[in-house]
Amino acid sequence: MSSELKIVVTTFADRAVAEKTAHLLVDAGLSVCAQVGADLVSFYRWEGEIQRDAEVAVTFKVLQQRFDLFVGELRLQHPAEVPQIISWPAEFVDRAYLEWARGRKA
Protein backbone atom coordinates (compact mmCIF):
# COMPACT_ATOMS: atom_id res chain seq x y z
CA MET A 1 0.00 0.00 0.00
CA SER A 2 2.63 2.55 0.99
CA SER A 3 4.63 2.04 -2.21
CA GLU A 4 1.78 3.91 -3.91
CA LEU A 5 3.35 7.14 -2.72
CA LYS A 6 6.77 8.48 -3.67
CA ILE A 7 8.75 11.22 -1.98
CA VAL A 8 10.60 13.48 -4.43
CA VAL A 9 13.20 16.07 -3.44
CA THR A 10 14.60 18.84 -5.59
CA THR A 11 16.17 22.26 -5.08
CA PHE A 12 15.74 25.66 -6.69
CA ALA A 13 18.01 28.70 -6.68
CA ASP A 14 15.08 31.03 -6.04
CA ARG A 15 12.21 30.77 -3.53
CA ALA A 16 9.70 32.42 -5.88
CA VAL A 17 10.45 29.87 -8.63
CA ALA A 18 10.29 27.04 -6.08
CA GLU A 19 6.87 28.17 -4.88
CA LYS A 20 5.57 28.77 -8.42
CA THR A 21 6.67 25.30 -9.53
CA ALA A 22 5.26 23.65 -6.39
CA HIS A 23 1.92 25.37 -6.95
CA LEU A 24 1.84 24.42 -10.63
CA LEU A 25 2.56 20.72 -9.99
CA VAL A 26 -0.05 20.46 -7.23
CA ASP A 27 -2.62 22.42 -9.25
CA ALA A 28 -2.04 20.12 -12.24
CA GLY A 29 -2.71 17.07 -10.05
CA LEU A 30 0.79 15.70 -10.57
CA SER A 31 1.74 16.04 -6.90
CA VAL A 32 -0.63 15.69 -3.97
CA CYS A 33 1.47 17.96 -1.75
CA ALA A 34 4.56 20.14 -2.01
CA GLN A 35 6.56 21.57 0.86
CA VAL A 36 8.90 24.45 0.14
CA GLY A 37 11.54 24.26 2.83
CA ALA A 38 14.12 26.44 4.44
CA ASP A 39 17.02 28.01 2.65
CA LEU A 40 20.15 25.89 2.45
CA VAL A 41 23.65 26.03 1.03
CA SER A 42 24.82 23.36 -1.40
CA PHE A 43 28.37 22.46 -2.32
CA TYR A 44 29.00 20.43 -5.50
CA ARG A 45 31.41 20.06 -8.38
CA TRP A 46 30.37 21.58 -11.72
CA GLU A 47 32.62 21.72 -14.77
CA GLY A 48 35.66 20.92 -12.63
CA GLU A 49 35.06 23.61 -10.01
CA ILE A 50 33.60 23.39 -6.52
CA GLN A 51 30.42 25.47 -6.40
CA ARG A 52 28.67 27.01 -3.39
CA ASP A 53 25.08 28.04 -4.01
CA ALA A 54 22.14 29.17 -1.91
CA GLU A 55 19.15 26.96 -2.67
CA VAL A 56 15.63 26.21 -1.51
CA ALA A 57 14.62 22.57 -1.01
CA VAL A 58 11.21 21.33 -2.13
CA THR A 59 9.71 17.99 -1.13
CA PHE A 60 6.84 16.56 -3.16
CA LYS A 61 4.50 13.65 -2.43
CA VAL A 62 3.55 11.92 -5.68
CA LEU A 63 1.25 8.97 -6.34
CA GLN A 64 3.05 6.19 -8.21
CA GLN A 65 0.65 6.31 -11.18
CA ARG A 66 1.42 10.04 -11.70
CA PHE A 67 5.19 9.74 -11.15
CA ASP A 68 6.39 9.69 -14.79
CA LEU A 69 4.15 12.63 -15.73
CA PHE A 70 5.31 14.49 -12.62
CA VAL A 71 9.01 14.01 -13.41
CA GLY A 72 8.49 15.07 -17.03
CA GLU A 73 6.72 18.27 -16.01
CA LEU A 74 9.25 19.00 -13.25
CA ARG A 75 12.06 18.74 -15.82
CA LEU A 76 10.18 21.13 -18.13
CA GLN A 77 9.55 23.66 -15.36
CA HIS A 78 12.93 23.47 -13.63
CA PRO A 79 15.36 26.22 -14.68
CA ALA A 80 18.53 24.21 -13.91
CA GLU A 81 20.46 22.57 -16.73
CA VAL A 82 20.75 19.40 -14.61
CA PRO A 83 18.13 19.56 -11.85
CA GLN A 84 18.39 17.41 -8.75
CA ILE A 85 15.43 15.03 -8.89
CA ILE A 86 15.71 12.27 -6.30
CA SER A 87 12.88 9.99 -5.20
CA TRP A 88 12.18 6.99 -3.05
CA PRO A 89 9.04 5.04 -2.19
CA ALA A 90 7.38 5.90 1.08
CA GLU A 91 8.01 2.96 3.39
CA PHE A 92 5.01 3.82 5.52
CA VAL A 93 2.04 6.07 4.84
CA ASP A 94 -0.75 6.54 7.35
CA ARG A 95 -3.92 5.00 5.91
CA ALA A 96 -5.93 8.23 6.29
CA TYR A 97 -3.20 10.27 4.56
CA LEU A 98 -3.00 7.80 1.67
CA GLU A 99 -6.78 7.91 1.21
CA TRP A 100 -6.60 11.71 1.21
CA ALA A 101 -3.77 11.59 -1.35
CA ARG A 102 -5.74 9.26 -3.63
CA GLY A 103 -8.59 11.77 -3.57
CA ARG A 104 -6.29 14.55 -4.82
CA LYS A 105 -5.83 13.01 -8.27
CA ALA A 106 -6.60 15.25 -11.23
Side-chain angles (χ1 to χ4, degrees), residues 9-90:
V9 176
T10 191
T11 58
F12 291 88
D14 178 271
R15 179 167 292 279
V17 174
E19 290 185 15
K20 177 182 174 187
T21 305
H23 184 273
L24 183 143
L25 291 167
V26 171
D27 188 50
L30 299 177
S31 174
V32 299
C33 177
Q35 296 167 311
V36 179
D39 297 336
L40 54 92
V41 176
S42 292
F43 295 86
Y44 57 94
R45 188 175 299 278
W46 181 257
E47 296 180 348
E49 300 289 326
I50 298 295
Q51 305 295 314
R52 178 192 184 277
D53 288 323
E55 295 185 303
V56 177
V58 181
T59 302
F60 294 94
K61 279 67 140 210
V62 180
L63 291 168
Q64 178 62 46
Q65 67 263 29
R66 307 293 286 169
F67 182 72
D68 290 339
L69 291 170
F70 168 85
V71 170
E73 189 62 29
L74 179 57
R75 283 183 182 133
L76 286 173
Q77 298 300 322
H78 206 292
E81 183 178 340
V82 181
Q84 167 191 294
I85 303 173
I86 299 172
S87 77
W88 58 91

